[in-house]
Amino acid sequence: MSYQTFSQAASQVNLAQICHLSTCQKNPLIRLPSDSSAIWVNALWSLCLVISLSCFLFASLLQHWIRRYLHIVQMPRSPQHRVRIRELMTQGIDKHYLLWVAAALPSLFHIAVFLFLTGLLVSLSSTMPAAFMVISACVGVCALLYLAFSLSP
């Protein structure tokens, strides 16, 4: 293949994209996202991904630690030796804030879901207003149910 073949193929693709853009501008139901909304969506979804992966990593580490703890504690030893091991493990829990990490995981996961849904709504608001209204109503109902169940005794 020659350079001319590549440049002709590229020009045909560019022409097809320009035609698509012109039909999108004529159709009021299809709008292209503005630059700021695309940046917001990418930022929100990237944060969601980072937080979700961090939650997965911390949960895996906690699960590994719990398995290790149970294995060490359940080994047949004298009662005095078991007490020393449990005390050492408890000091490790306190020193490395493992209880705080375990308590923070659900909150981090909720933040990740909130960021994802916010990015979805920003994306839909700039591209499909009708879908935005339906999805935002569903998200609102789910958020109210979540708050009601979280605050109930």
Side-chain angles (χ1 to χ4, degrees):
M1 294 192 107
S2 68
Y3 176 74
Q4 290 178 342
T5 306
F6 283 126
S7 64
Q8 287 175 354
S11 65
Q12 289 173 353
V13 169
N14 288 338
L15 180 62
Q17 290 173 347
I18 290 171
C19 291
H20 178 70
L21 287 174
S22 66
T23 58
C24 286
Q25 289 176 350
K26 291 177 187 174
N27 188 353
L29 296 177
I30 301 173
R31 293 191 304 191
L32 295 174
S34 65
D35 289 335
S36 64
S37 68
I39 290 170
W40 273 103
V41 168
N42 286 333
L44 290 170
W45 284 351
S46 297
L47 280 173
C48 173
L49 178 65
V50 167
I51 292 172
S52 297
L53 291 175
S54 298
C55 284
F56 171 73
L57 177 67
F58 289 136
S60 297
L61 289 173
L62 284 173
Q63 186 179 25
H64 174 73
W65 184 87
I66 289 170
R67 286 183 182 157
R68 185 171 165 242
Y69 174 80
L70 290 175
H71 176 72
I72 290 173
V73 170
Q74 292 176 350
M75 294 177 107
R77 295 190 172 121
S78 68
Q80 293 86 7
H81 197 253
R82 281 188 190 179
V83 168
R84 287 187 203 139
I85 289 176
R86 285 182 188 232
E87 180 61 30
L88 183 65
M89 292 295 232
T90 304
Q91 288 174 1
I93 290 172
D94 293 340
K95 179 181 176 184
H96 297 292
Y97 303 104
L98 290 179
L99 294 177
W100 183 83
V101 171
L105 282 178
S107 299
L108 286 174
F109 179 72
H110 292 141
I111 290 170
V113 170
F114 173 76
L115 290 173
F116 175 79
L117 291 175
T118 304
L120 178 66
L121 291 177
V122 169
S123 173
L124 289 176
S125 71
S126 64
T127 56
M128 296 183 280
F132 168 74
M133 298 301 275
V134 172
I135 300 294
S136 62
C138 291
V139 168
V141 168
C142 289
L144 288 175
L145 287 172
Y146 173 77
L147 284 174
F149 286 129
S150 295
L151 298 176
S152 64

